[in-house]
Amino acid sequence: MYETLTYTGGVHKHEEIKELIDDLGGFVLQETTSQMDLVLTLAVPVEDVDKVDEKSRELLGKIKRAPMAGTEIAIVSPTLARQHLPHSACDISEYLRRYGAKDNMIGLSRGAGKGISRISEDEKRLIEEHDLVVFALGSFRECLMNKTHLFNDIDIPVVVTGAPEMSLDDLPGATAYVNGLGRIPRRLKRGENIRALRNLAEVVEDILDNRRKEMMDDPPIVPSILVKTEIENQVKAVEEIYSPAPIVSQLDGLRVKLNYDEHKDEIAEVKVDEYRLGDVSEIKKSLMYDYILVKLLPESSII
């Protein structure tokens, strides 16, 4: 069992904490360097968290729990236009990153207006490539109720945000609703906004924890964080990816930011323990820039 953590510190002697993580059998999920500052997203065995904490204090760094690390979340706004996208959706995205999530902003192509808003099948399929989706909607009860068709048949957990207090029964298809986050024409820096963001983070964390518990009944044949490490070690093309997160871990798979047509066969041949990755996963073309989407098969699939 692994605990996901975020380490924040300087680049001086940072290789010492990376060596410790490797010695403990843990993994570095993501590494971000900004000038002299370093942020590592880690997965370490639960019983060894104290050792990582001790080393971080020795290096004058800090660690904190990152409950959403190893997940990919979609933040959906009805349109890319200024009346919908700025501020609240952007602040939601930035806030969830503090808890370790890798999130992607998605603006629907025909979402403007409560009477004409639409979502295409390709947009739904792109959203469903994620572990969870947050729909950042508006400030009026009627507007929210008239837009439930945007998410009522999406197959992953759906969290809806808006300004009014509403019952979840009024939003068919939603897994949870968080109020206090409507269309606000400024940054969310006031006390009530911070409390709403904190509530959202707690709701998302609970949903992801429940999904992890459900997956424990029939877990993937190989864990995604191990697959991520083996792809990095065996596929040389990963070293040429300029993205700060060349491989994004998900609860039940990964997104590899390589062209599907050029590298799908190489990814399928990666060895993970005694398995060939192509035999224990479904390798598909992502709707995001033709990346490679790896969905790991559960243990019951080989019985």
Side-chain angles (χ1 to χ4, degrees):
M1 190 67 180
Y2 291 92
E3 180 73 272
T4 49
L5 306 169
T6 298
Y7 167 81
T8 306
V11 296
H12 179 62
K13 292 188 177 181
H14 75 278
E15 67 279 357
E16 293 185 13
I17 195 162
K18 293 175 69 174
E19 290 172 359
L20 174 64
I21 294 162
D22 188 52
D23 292 341
L24 295 174
F27 304 90
V28 176
L29 302 178
Q30 185 173 346
E31 178 178 344
T32 305
T33 304
S34 176
Q35 295 182 349
M36 299 301 291
D37 297 324
L38 175 73
V39 178
L40 298 176
T41 304
L42 320 170
V44 297
V46 173
E47 61 272 17
D48 294 324
V49 171
D50 290 341
K51 296 177 183 177
V52 178
D53 183 36
E54 181 180 349
K55 173 56 74 171
S56 69
R57 283 188 275 108
E58 178 185 326
L59 298 176
L60 303 180
K62 296 180 180 179
I63 65 166
K64 64 179 181 180
R65 185 169 176 264
M68 299 181 198
T71 65
E72 189 175 28
I73 297 174
I75 313 295
V76 178
S77 180
T79 69
L80 291 172
R82 63 184 180 183
Q83 69 262 33
H84 275 124
L85 183 61
H87 306 310
S88 61
C90 296
D91 284 344
I92 287 170
S93 175
E94 189 274 334
Y95 195 79
L96 294 183
R97 289 191 199 114
R98 299 182 186 183
Y99 292 83
K102 168 65 175 73
D103 53 48
N104 298 311
M105 301 285 292
I106 299 175
L108 303 182
S109 60
R110 296 184 59 196
K114 66 180 181 181
I116 62 173
S117 61
R118 297 289 183 270
I119 183 171
S120 70
E121 285 301 317
D122 282 348
E123 288 170 337
K124 286 182 182 179
R125 288 167 53 205
L126 175 58
I127 290 169
E128 289 173 349
E129 291 180 2
H130 297 74
D131 293 308
L132 179 144
V133 56
V134 177
F135 273 83
L137 300 185
S139 300
F140 301 102
R141 177 187 179 90
E142 183 183 357
C143 179
L144 270 66
M145 295 178 66
N146 285 345
K147 289 186 177 179
T148 58
H149 62 277
L150 297 177
F151 52 78
N152 61 8
D153 59 349
I154 288 179
D155 291 336
I156 62 173
V158 175
V159 179
V160 178
T161 68
E165 293 187 7
M166 294 180 62
S167 169
L168 190 59
D169 295 334
D170 295 328
L171 300 169
T175 308
Y177 173 71
V178 178
N179 68 295
L181 293 169
R183 281 183 3 212
I184 303 172
R186 55 173 172 76
R187 294 297 306 275
L188 305 181
K189 293 184 176 181
R190 297 179 181 175
E192 66 271 17
N193 305 142
I194 299 301
R195 286 189 289 272
L197 288 171
R198 190 177 297 124
N199 183 31
L200 172 63
E202 292 173 355
V203 168
V204 170
E205 181 182 346
D206 287 343
I207 293 172
L208 293 175
D209 283 344
N210 288 334
R211 284 203 65 196
R212 291 187 181 99
K213 291 175 183 177
E214 292 173 0
M215 289 175 58
M216 288 177 65
D217 295 332
D218 190 13
I221 299 171
V222 288
S224 62
I225 54 176
L226 178 58
V227 176
K228 176 180 181 293
T229 301
E230 293 301 334
I231 292 176
E232 290 172 340
N233 292 337
Q234 298 179 40
V235 180
K236 297 302 181 184
V238 172
E239 299 176 1
E240 301 175 5
I241 301 175
Y242 294 109
S243 169
I247 303 175
V248 179
S249 296
Q250 301 176 342
L251 291 178
D252 61 349
L254 312 96
R255 187 189 305 279
V256 185
K257 296 180 181 178
L258 292 171
N259 182 270
Y260 174 83
D261 294 326
E262 296 177 9
H263 296 280
K264 62 178 180 180
D265 295 333
E266 188 178 5
I267 294 295
E269 294 300 326
V270 169
K271 291 293 184 180
V272 185
D273 290 337
E274 70 271 23
Y275 300 104
R276 173 181 172 271
L277 184 56
D279 295 333
V280 296
S281 69
E282 183 181 0
I283 299 175
K284 304 183 292 185
K285 179 186 287 190
S286 169
L287 288 175
M288 184 184 295
Y289 305 118
D290 292 337
Y291 289 152
I292 300 172
L293 194 66
V294 180
K295 287 298 182 181
L296 300 170
L297 299 176
E299 290 181 351
S300 61
S301 65
I302 61 173
I303 297 177

